[in-house]
Amino acid sequence: MAPGSPAARRRAAPCLLAALLGLHIFAITLALEVSVGKTNTVMALNNSNVLLPCVFTTCIGFQDLVFSWYFNTTELIYQGKIKNKATEPTPIWHNPRVEFVGSTTKKDNNISIVLNGVEFSDAGKYTCHVKNPKERNAQHNATIFLTVVHKMVETDNTVTLIIVGVVGGLIGLLILFMLIKRVVLFIIKKTQDGKKECLVSSSGNDNTENGLAGSKAEQKAPPKA
Ligand SMILES: *[C@@H]1O[C@H](CO)[C@@H](O)[C@H](O)[C@H]1NC(C)=O
Ligand SMILES: *[C@@H]1O[C@H](CO)[C@@H](O)[C@H](O)[C@H]1NC(C)=O
Ligand SMILES: *[C@@H]1O[C@H](CO)[C@@H](O)[C@H](O)[C@H]1NC(C)=O
Ligand SMILES: *[C@@H]1O[C@H](CO)[C@@H](O)[C@H](O)[C@H]1NC(C)=O
């Protein structure tokens, strides 16, 4: 990441603030950031494997950082240790169904896990907790909520889309029908008016064709001479 990028600046802001204020309290509370991303809920299908995302950022780097994942606040499901930025974490303990999938040597300190074979009893709160000895043991955590479903309720969306589509289509058809009706009525009216005009004019002319069928009179309507 370029140092001048908006993300870098956003991340640097608390560090800068802490440095400017020169207060350790602020440095401790503002320096370490832990995040599960933009949305704090994740939905998983029964029996699927679900990614529980988490990244952290530090101002001054880290040393022997310990990170933990808790289920419903208290049940430890994963714990790992990271020596420094140049190394990947080493697991301390993990639930057999939990797998570390992150990486801490790339630009993000990604400490995401995957929970395999999701069951309905796995629904709840997952907290990603980080403790950095290099920042006077600063701690921070972020939480993501897991819901487990039989079927992806995206069908809800589909149903809504179908309803919107059908209603929209029906309204469209109605408008089209009304338009066609108007046009047809207009044409009928026009042709009838035309016929009347022809009949009137032809009778006024006192022509030999007087009394002929309307169709013929109509054809003669535009005087071309
Ligand atoms: C969850 O999935 C498993 C395997 O597909 C199935 O046996 C079980 O009945 C499912 N549970 C529910 C409540 O649907
Ligand atoms: C963290 O790593 C996982 C697995 O590689 C990936 O799916 C996820 O998008 C990463 N998250 C971030 C914020 O980089
Ligand atoms: C975890 O928490 C959720 C909601 O907070 C609750 O519905 C669920 O029963 C809890 N699960 C366990 C195993 O304690
Ligand atoms: C997460 O942080 C809050 C304060 O921000 C704290 O009250 C809570 O105990 C922490 N949770 C865990 C699991 O460490």
Side-chain angles (χ1 to χ4, degrees):
M1 185 191 299
S5 79
R9 251 180 279 132
R10 203 167 54 238
R11 277 178 201 172
C15 304
L16 197 65
L17 185 63
L20 284 174
L21 290 172
L23 296 171
H24 274 301
I25 291 282
F26 281 95
I28 288 163
T29 53
L30 294 172
L32 185 66
E33 291 289 341
V34 181
S35 163
V36 291
K38 286 183 199 79
T39 57
N40 69 338
T41 53
V42 60
M43 198 179 278
L45 212 52
N46 173 27
N47 255 333
S48 71
N49 306 332
V50 67
L51 173 78
L52 299 170
C54 184
V55 294
F56 72 86
T57 54
T58 61
C59 285
I60 55 164
F62 57 85
Q63 191 83 51
D64 298 320
L65 178 141
V66 175
F67 68 95
S68 317
W69 275 94
Y70 293 95
F71 171 59
N72 277 7
T73 318
T74 50
E75 188 189 333
L76 184 70
I77 56 167
Y78 193 97
Q79 191 160 53
K81 191 171 182 171
I82 321 164
K83 201 164 185 301
N84 53 48
K85 186 66 190 160
T87 59
E88 290 293 349
T90 45
I92 296 172
W93 189 87
H94 70 101
N95 180 297
R97 287 199 294 126
V98 176
E99 194 185 326
F100 180 82
V101 292
S103 173
T104 51
T105 53
K106 301 194 189 98
K107 83 174 188 231
D108 281 316
N109 297 309
N110 187 337
I111 49 169
S112 305
I113 54 169
V114 163
L115 179 61
N116 291 313
V118 170
E119 294 161 15
F120 289 95
S121 58
D122 292 330
K125 200 170 141 184
Y126 289 82
T127 306
C128 165
H129 176 264
V130 174
K131 183 172 162 184
N132 187 11
K134 198 173 176 180
E135 285 179 88
R136 295 186 152 206
N137 279 331
Q139 303 184 36
H140 226 279
N141 68 53
T143 296
I144 192 158
F145 293 88
L146 175 70
T147 50
V148 183
V149 293
H150 294 271
K151 272 183 180 174
M152 278 301 174
V153 283
E154 273 169 287
T155 44
D156 256 9
N157 233 345
T158 320
V159 167
T160 316
L161 277 180
I162 288 170
I163 291 170
V164 167
V166 167
V167 169
L170 281 178
I171 291 171
L173 272 179
L174 201 69
I175 290 170
L176 193 69
F177 177 76
M178 280 158 70
L179 270 176
I180 289 171
K181 196 177 145 193
R182 246 164 201 257
V183 168
V184 167
L185 282 176
F186 180 77
I187 289 169
I188 289 171
K189 197 168 181 287
K190 258 282 142 102
T191 52
Q192 277 174 354
D193 284 356
K195 275 177 203 167
K196 268 184 216 153
E197 241 172 44
C198 293
L199 286 172
V200 167
S201 64
S202 58
S203 64
N205 276 350
D206 201 19
N207 221 333
T208 43
E209 275 173 12
N210 197 5
L212 275 181
S215 61
K216 204 147 189 201
E218 186 194 337
Q219 276 166 4
K220 282 201 86 184
K224 280 176 191 164

